[in-house]
Amino acid sequence: MRIFVTGATGFIGSVVVPELIGAGHQVVGLARSDGSAAQLTAAGAEVVRGTLGDLEILRDAAAASDGVIHLAFDGAAAFSAGDYRPVAEADRRVVDTFGDVLAGTGRPFVIASGFVGFPAGRVVTEVDEPVIDDSPYVIRTATAQAVLALAGRGVRSSVVRVPPSVHGEGDYAWVPGLIAAARTHGVSGYLGEGVNHWPAVHRLDIARLFRLAIEKAPAGSALHGVADEGVALRDIAEVIGRHLDVPVASVAPEAAAEHFTWLSPFIGLDVQASNTLTRELLDWQPTHPGLLEDLEKGRYFDTPASTA
């Protein structure tokens, strides 16, 4: 298949692209910079120059492809500006553009989503539906539900629910955020009692899942790209504290914004997620180290992580 990929040079996309090419697919990646274009070319992919705001370019690229994987999301802009809503709304426009192009074609459309809006206190399965409220962080969840609904418009749509921690070489997100906070404050912190859970997966495992989804996921499939069902935040903090040789301590809710900075809106997320239906549906089996095992290798502590 000829597959158009947004976010093709990002943390996940940069391993999805070789996974697709290695399986015999032709990849066309969106690049907004010369550096991204060069990276895609070196990986063996074709390049379409543009940004997520260039809807006509996205429309044409999708129309010329046999399927679309949408991974791009300008999270850095959302967090640095302190306003998540405009970025999430822009993402919805991109998804609607792809949906209109692919409607009635039977072609696959796969997006990355998350676990905001799902209940705590029990294991979430692929058939569970999120609660949609007026929080700006739930806009992406609503977008994912709209993608699943494209199955009724003749699109072989699927959503990969990506866990809070996608770990591995080059990780710069949630766990590095915790490490950066620990370095800054001299304390490896967790919220409250630290008993809330984050699902996790290695980036190479989830790359394979995105390939399997574009190849054979049935229309309207919600997939769980998780390996660790749920890792307690305190357990993560303890590994960080040991490697940095700093104390491990609870952070009060009123101090969370100062301690965890951009990560504070999500620090209390408590989700445990099963991957049973995903494994059965697509014969997907995570084979790489879990989050705590990966952290114990020490690689995460070699280079100071950014707090931005």
Side-chain angles (χ1 to χ4, degrees), residues 98-237:
F98 287 144
D100 289 343
V101 171
L102 298 173
T105 67
R107 297 176 190 170
F109 178 30
V110 185
I111 73 161
S113 185
F115 284 95
V116 174
F118 290 90
R122 66 176 179 83
V123 177
V124 176
T125 74
E126 292 87 339
V127 299
D128 286 320
E129 294 189 0
V131 173
I132 307 297
D133 58 25
D134 59 358
S135 164
Y137 303 110
V138 182
I139 294 175
R140 288 193 77 193
T141 307
T143 296
Q145 294 302 103
V147 170
L148 295 178
L150 288 172
R153 295 178 60 195
V155 181
R156 184 161 65 78
S157 60
S158 60
V159 169
V160 176
R161 293 172 182 162
V162 178
S165 176
V166 180
H167 55 92
E169 190 73 37
D171 186 3
Y172 58 85
W174 289 39
V175 169
L178 291 177
I179 295 170
R183 281 195 165 104
T184 298
H185 300 284
V187 173
S188 180
Y190 53 86
L191 190 68
E193 296 182 359
V195 295
N196 59 301
H197 295 83
W198 291 354
V201 69
H202 196 282
R203 67 194 291 238
L204 296 176
D205 283 323
I206 205 168
R208 189 166 66 256
L209 179 57
F210 274 104
R211 173 178 63 80
L212 293 172
I214 200 78
E215 289 176 344
K216 59 182 181 180
S221 299
L223 307 168
H224 280 187
V226 302
D228 291 314
E229 192 171 272
V231 183
L233 186 61
R234 182 166 184 167
D235 291 341
I236 300 172

Side-chain angles (χ1 to χ4, degrees), residues 53-81:
D54 297 321
L55 297 184
E56 285 297 327
I57 291 174
L58 300 182
R59 183 178 290 111
D60 291 345
S65 300
D66 299 313
V68 175
I69 298 178
H70 177 47
L71 301 174
F73 185 79
D74 198 355
F79 295 125
S80 63

Side-chain angles (χ1 to χ4, degrees), residues 234-300:
R234 182 166 184 167
D235 291 341
I236 300 172
E238 287 177 346
V239 176
I240 293 171
R242 186 167 62 255
H243 279 268
L244 295 182
D245 194 24
V246 298
V248 180
S250 173
V251 175
E254 58 270 21
E258 178 184 358
H259 185 91
F260 298 109
T261 62
W262 67 268
L263 192 54
S264 60
F266 307 101
I267 197 68
L269 183 68
D270 186 13
V271 176
Q272 298 177 75
S274 168
N275 67 9
T276 300
L277 298 180
T278 300
R279 287 189 289 108
E280 293 175 350
L281 183 66
L282 298 180
D283 192 26
W284 176 66
Q285 181 61 52
T287 59
H288 291 84
L291 174 57
L292 295 182
E293 181 183 352
D294 207 11
L295 275 174
E296 291 287 13
K297 293 179 179 179
R299 178 180 60 238
Y300 272 78

